[in-house]
Amino acid sequence: MNRLTSSFWVNAYFTCLRQHEIPAFVVASGDRDAGAVCVKLNTLDGNATAYQRFVGAVSGKREWMLLSEGNESEVDAVLNRQRRNDPDLWILEVEDREGRHLLNQAGLDD
């Protein structure tokens, strides 16, 4: 099965977020075709959570794992280290006081 390009997935994700009136922006653009994606959820209270997509060893499906959570500056430091190690990495930031990131929505799992 063909996978969506990273840039196509990011655009689809942002469209989904806009439909729910959840602000989001690109912090770092990665490789348009095959860059890995990290999503930072900023709850606007000084805390944040970062998720990273990976391929499950058993399922072979793309899944989201918790990369870091806690103080926003600490989460940013983790994401900056990830970006230094992988310059093709996309970093997206979602801002929502309710903690919604919509990563579990149908259609966003490719």
Side-chain angles (χ1 to χ4, degrees):
M1 171 169 73
N2 292 336
R3 297 245 181 242
L4 299 175
T5 65
S6 298
S7 61
F8 187 90
W9 186 90
V10 167
N11 287 329
Y13 181 51
F14 279 12
T15 297
C16 185
L17 290 167
R18 276 193 303 275
Q19 290 172 344
H20 289 86
E21 298 180 352
I22 301 172
F25 54 93
V26 175
V27 174
S29 296
D31 182 271
R32 293 187 52 78
D33 295 323
V37 177
C38 285
V39 174
K40 173 186 164 189
L41 172 61
N42 182 346
T43 51
L44 304 171
D45 61 358
N47 294 303
T49 307
Y51 301 92
Q52 185 169 14
R53 290 177 78 189
F54 73 103
V55 177
V58 175
S59 67
K61 296 174 87 175
R62 289 190 181 198
E63 302 174 24
W64 290 96
M65 70 172 209
L66 178 68
L67 180 63
S68 178
E69 69 180 329
N71 181 284
E72 183 182 3
S73 62
E74 293 169 7
V75 172
D76 285 341
V78 169
L79 290 169
N80 288 334
R81 281 193 300 276
Q82 293 290 110
R83 178 79 173 158
R84 279 193 304 270
N85 291 332
D86 181 2
D88 292 332
L89 178 69
W90 288 80
I91 299 177
L92 313 178
E93 183 164 339
V94 176
E95 295 181 339
D96 188 66
R97 291 185 194 283
E98 297 174 35
R100 299 174 298 164
H101 51 64
L102 306 183
L103 294 173
N104 54 353
Q105 292 287 313
L108 293 175
D109 53 358
D110 183 40

